[in-house]
Amino acid sequence: MSDINTAVVEGSGKSLVVTLPRFTVRVVSGPDAGLTATSVDGRLLVGTAEGALLRLTDRTVSRYHLDFEATANGLLVRDLGSTNGTMLGNAAVHEIAVTREIELDVGKTRVRLEFESEKASLKTRADPRFGKLIGESAAMKLVFAALEKAAPTTAPVLITGESGTGKELAARAIHDASPRASQPFEFVDCGGLPATLIESELFGHEQGSFPGATAEREGAFERAEGGTLFLDEVGELPLELQPKLLRALSSGEVRRVGGKRTRTVDVRIVAASNRDLRRLVNSGQFRADLYYRMAVIQVHMPPLRERLEDLPLLVRALLDVIAEDRGLSAHIEPDAQLIETLSRHGWPGNVRELRNYLEQLVILRTSPDLNEAPGSDTQANGPAQGSGSAIWGAPFIAELPANLLEAFLALEKLPLRRAKAQLLERFERHYVTRLLETTGGNVAEAARHAGVDRVTLFRTIRRYGLRSQGP
């Protein structure tokens, strides 16, 4: 049995129970001495903001100062970019895991973390899948429990987590399990569009409203009518656009760029960010009132390094998906040695990096260097990184078009890392060029064929200096 101060999965059958430490944070000195708060579902926030479980009046404490979160590895304590910091004795705390009681200084206030003898518990499904998310670890069972609670409601959901952890899959799982499943699921990458285009993408525009607006266009809010609007990397939304998004969320009404009338929309908002929006609120880069509106329900996607026990299940599932997506008949059986090798890697690119590693393994029939796998934040060369930035893929080398096969043979004299990177880049350029030719330069249609969103395809087109037309 794991330590009492960690999250663990217990039980069997159709449903399981995730047991969590129950803990209290007590103010032992400062303006709010004697004030206490007890964790809810393994989490507790300390700060002066309205949503803080332990809400303080100390002016030296930030709105979102300190966060406690129960995980399978212990209780994580995070300073949220506070103005005056968090101190454990003489040491500044950024993020630490603890399994015992401690005292911390936040501003002019001292708080004590105390573990309760009785643990908290959350019921969740035994099924290792929720939508396209996969996992049997305590970390993923907590995610599944949160998604199950969120799905039937219309409340806004904020999904946080590092790049590559599956935030878009979580958003789609919420939509597919909701009463809105038969209605549109619309995606907007707030970090992948120029600031000048984001407003038009969200709210639409009227003909002639700005140079290049040759026709009226519906925005994402209108396109998502009756369904779900997923705002990816919402933390990248320019500050000047945040009040307009807040008005749309508050009133259910939008106005197109250059438009004179408002339109009522029925849209459920699911947002995601790989940055902690509370830190952005503290630094003035994100509006506190918009954060309150969007974070009614919060779901945190754990990094792969914190759920390595899911590797066998993930690898098998990803290999099946890769074989289907790339039209491959050959199959690689993940043996114990492969899983052991993968478990020793830190996976800075998370599940996206794991998929890219396995894709190379299947297609190139060689074990890639884990320090150079596409999708890894440590990669020095190769296709551009970022959410959905690479759309390469091919059958086995023997089936490549003649010009690419010649390129492959010419690369044999290069070091392996550079050869792999250049081969993948050449294939991606060839793939996108042919796709644009097939669709007459229509990016929306090309994106549907490629199985990616338009923003991802636009990035690739810009990166290689290709030409397109249409939406």
Side-chain angles (χ1 to χ4, degrees):
M1 176 65 68
S2 297
D3 190 279
I4 190 174
N5 297 331
T6 62
V8 296
V9 180
E10 297 177 339
S12 59
K14 294 184 178 179
S15 63
L16 300 174
V17 173
V18 181
T19 59
L20 301 163
R22 189 189 301 273
F23 54 92
T24 295
V25 178
R26 186 183 309 276
V27 180
V28 297
S29 66
D32 303 290
L35 191 64
T36 65
T38 301
S39 60
V40 174
D41 293 342
R43 303 201 72 164
L44 191 152
L45 173 67
V46 178
T48 61
E50 183 178 346
L53 271 181
L54 185 61
R55 189 179 184 189
L56 306 178
T57 60
D58 184 349
R59 292 187 178 181
T60 63
V61 172
S62 296
R63 284 177 174 174
Y64 301 101
H65 199 110
L66 183 64
D67 182 50
F68 298 83
E69 179 189 2
T71 74
N73 299 318
L75 190 69
L76 285 185
V77 181
R78 300 186 190 90
D79 180 89
L80 300 173
S82 62
T83 300
N84 293 312
T86 298
M87 302 296 294
L88 176 61
N90 294 322
V93 171
H94 299 287
E95 180 175 311
I96 58 172
V98 300
T99 55
R100 60 179 178 82
E101 296 184 353
I102 57 173
E103 290 192 357
L104 299 162
D105 292 311
V106 292
K108 296 180 178 179
T109 295
R110 172 165 288 194
V111 299
R112 181 167 61 235
L113 167 67
E114 302 172 348
F115 287 98
E116 306 289 336
S117 58
E118 180 185 357
K119 293 190 289 185
S121 61
L122 286 174
K123 288 185 178 180
T124 185
R125 59 174 62 190
D127 188 342
R129 296 174 180 265
F130 191 96
K132 292 186 177 181
L133 293 170
I134 299 172
E136 293 180 318
S137 61
M140 287 305 292
K141 290 303 182 184
L142 289 173
V143 170
F144 291 174
L147 297 180
E148 284 184 293
K149 288 183 178 180
T153 74
T154 59
V157 180
L158 176 63
I159 305 170
T160 59
E162 298 175 9
S163 294
T165 51
K167 296 186 292 295
E168 182 181 351
L169 294 182
R172 288 185 179 274
I174 291 172
H175 174 75
D176 291 342
S178 76
R180 297 171 177 258
S182 61
Q183 301 303 313
F185 178 90
E186 192 67 26
F187 174 101
V188 174
D189 184 349
C190 298
L193 290 171
T196 53
L197 296 181
I198 294 179
E199 184 176 5
S200 172
E201 177 65 17
L202 287 172
F203 307 117
H205 63 253
E206 299 292 350
Q207 183 177 1
S209 55
F210 55 83
T214 57
E216 68 174 29
R217 183 173 184 266
E218 287 184 336
F221 271 92
E222 291 180 68
R223 299 195 300 270
E225 173 63 30
T228 301
L229 174 56
F230 176 48
L231 303 177
D232 196 17
E233 298 308 339
V234 71
E236 306 302 322
L237 194 68
L239 197 58
E240 62 271 18
L241 281 182
Q242 292 178 23
K244 297 181 180 180
L245 178 58
L246 177 62
R247 284 197 296 272
L249 299 184
S250 302
S251 66
E253 295 180 339
V254 297
R255 177 178 294 170
R256 293 179 179 178
V257 176
K260 296 181 179 180
R261 67 182 183 90
T262 59
R263 292 171 167 82
T264 301
V265 290
D266 173 22
V267 173
R268 195 228 183 126
I269 297 295
V270 178
S273 177
N274 64 9
R275 304 170 70 186
D276 194 323
L277 296 188
R278 297 169 299 183
R279 293 176 181 269
L280 298 184
V281 170
N282 285 340
S283 64
Q285 299 174 71
F286 202 85
R287 291 178 61 108
D289 47 5
L290 179 57
Y291 173 76
Y292 298 150
R293 177 67 64 172
M294 300 182 68
V296 176
I297 299 175
Q298 299 182 57
V299 180
H300 179 69
M301 301 300 296
L304 182 54
R305 62 183 174 275
E306 294 181 6
R307 48 180 292 229
L308 292 177
E309 60 266 47
D310 288 332
L311 271 175
L313 195 64
L314 277 170
V315 170
R316 287 186 178 88
L318 287 172
L319 286 173
D320 289 342
V321 170
I322 291 167
E324 181 179 353
D325 287 353
R326 305 309 180 197
L328 305 175
S329 57
H331 183 69
I332 292 178
E333 183 63 29
D335 56 22
Q337 183 177 355
L338 174 61
I339 299 300
E340 173 63 24
T341 299
L342 299 180
S343 67
R344 293 196 297 266
H345 186 52
W347 300 109
N350 295 294
V351 179
R352 182 183 299 121
E353 180 186 355
L354 175 62
R355 169 169 175 152
N356 286 341
Y357 173 90
L358 295 173
E359 200 151 16
Q360 271 203 75
L361 181 64
V362 170
I363 294 173
L364 300 181
R365 289 291 171 174
T366 184
S367 297
D369 186 334
L370 278 172
N371 292 322
E372 301 165 0
S376 169
D377 292 343
T378 61
Q379 183 185 0
N381 295 290
Q385 302 305 309
S387 177
S389 63
I391 61 173
W392 60 270
F396 292 110
I397 295 298
E399 300 175 19
L400 287 172
N403 60 330
L404 285 180
L405 183 56
E406 291 172 4
F408 171 71
L409 295 175
L411 293 172
E412 287 183 337
K413 296 181 181 179
L414 294 178
L416 178 60
R417 181 181 64 185
R418 289 179 58 195
K420 287 191 295 186
Q422 289 191 26
L423 177 62
L424 295 176
E425 287 177 353
R426 292 186 187 191
F427 176 78
E428 189 171 46
R429 178 191 290 272
H430 172 86
Y431 180 93
V432 174
T433 299
R434 292 293 299 272
L435 195 58
L436 291 173
E437 291 173 356
T438 302
T439 61
N442 187 304
V443 175
E445 185 179 349
R448 285 192 293 271
H449 278 285
V452 298
D453 60 88
R454 285 181 297 169
V455 173
T456 296
L457 193 56
F458 270 123
R459 286 174 178 165
T460 307
I461 291 170
R462 288 197 300 268
R463 184 162 69 251
Y464 293 125
L466 304 177
R467 301 186 65 179
S468 65
Q469 62 185 42

